[in-house]
Amino acid sequence: MDFFSSQKITNHITRIYLPGDVQAYLVEGMDKSVLIDTGCGIGDLKAYVATLTGKPITVLLTHGHLDHAPGAVQFDTVYMNLADRGIYAAHDLIQQRIDYVETTSFAGKYRREDLLPENSADAFLDLQDGMRFDLGGLHITAYACPGHTPGSMGVSYTHLRAHETDSYLVC
């Protein structure tokens, strides 16, 4: 089954549609890529992202809820504000994810074995306010915006060209 589809937003940003009526964003610089959020942890997101870019991928999680973070288990370098560690632990549980997805348009369109395993946030790196990621000609900056969760983060992307700058905010 096709779990994912995508839409090019700009030359550097691709929106990825994920199971559970959620979205992730792939931001590509000349050298590296950042994947913002990873969805509910259904299907092989890592393989799908590899069809979109061959560049090294760093994952930035905007927060630890089950519709944004459980797919991170597939990736080696994952940042999340560690204030959301407890939220992630509660939301990564397979039954929690099933209960959520069954309320979406994806209900009944997957098998239990399509769910990625539960994962600990112990290997996640701490995403903090003001952190900057250089992707090669393009920078991602993380901003703390607690409220939705204690560790909620937004990210902006700045594309650097000769004497001009484009900026976008993705949350």
Side-chain angles (χ1 to χ4, degrees):
M1 167 169 224
D2 292 331
F3 292 123
F4 312 103
S5 63
S6 59
Q7 173 188 17
K8 199 80 163 155
I9 303 298
T10 72
N11 288 337
H12 301 281
I13 300 176
T14 302
R15 179 183 296 133
I16 303 171
Y17 298 95
L18 308 167
D21 303 331
V22 295
Q23 300 164 18
Y25 292 87
L26 178 67
V27 183
E28 293 183 85
M30 292 184 319
D31 305 320
K32 300 174 187 173
S33 295
V34 161
L35 179 62
I36 302 166
D37 288 339
T38 59
C40 299
I42 298 175
D44 193 346
L45 178 60
K46 185 175 183 177
Y48 183 78
V49 171
T51 69
L52 302 174
T53 184
K55 297 172 185 152
I57 298 166
T58 297
V59 170
L60 305 181
L61 299 174
T62 58
H63 62 287
H65 279 163
L66 58 84
D67 56 334
H68 289 260
V73 67
Q74 291 190 298
F75 297 90
D76 296 327
T77 306
V78 178
Y79 286 83
M80 178 183 76
N81 185 295
L82 295 183
D84 273 7
R85 187 183 307 219
I87 289 170
Y88 176 84
H91 282 244
D92 186 50
L93 300 173
I94 287 177
Q95 192 58 53
Q96 287 283 94
R97 292 189 269 153
I98 290 171
D99 292 346
Y100 169 77
V101 172
E102 287 302 311
T103 69
T104 71
S105 66
F106 205 71
K109 297 179 183 174
Y110 64 97
R111 299 167 301 163
R112 188 174 179 94
E113 54 267 22
D114 295 323
L115 284 118
L116 299 175
E118 294 173 5
N119 184 39
S120 163
D122 290 345
F124 291 177
L125 301 165
D126 195 12
L127 184 60
Q128 298 192 6
D129 186 56
M131 287 183 82
R132 200 164 164 199
F133 300 84
D134 181 355
L135 307 182
L138 192 144
H139 296 131
I140 297 281
T141 305
Y143 297 97
C145 49
H148 183 60
T149 68
S152 285
M153 301 293 287
V155 297
S156 72
Y157 126 60
T158 304
H159 180 234
L160 308 170
R161 289 180 269 169
H163 310 296
E164 59 184 283
T165 310
D166 290 334
S167 294
Y168 298 90
L169 179 65
V170 179
C171 306

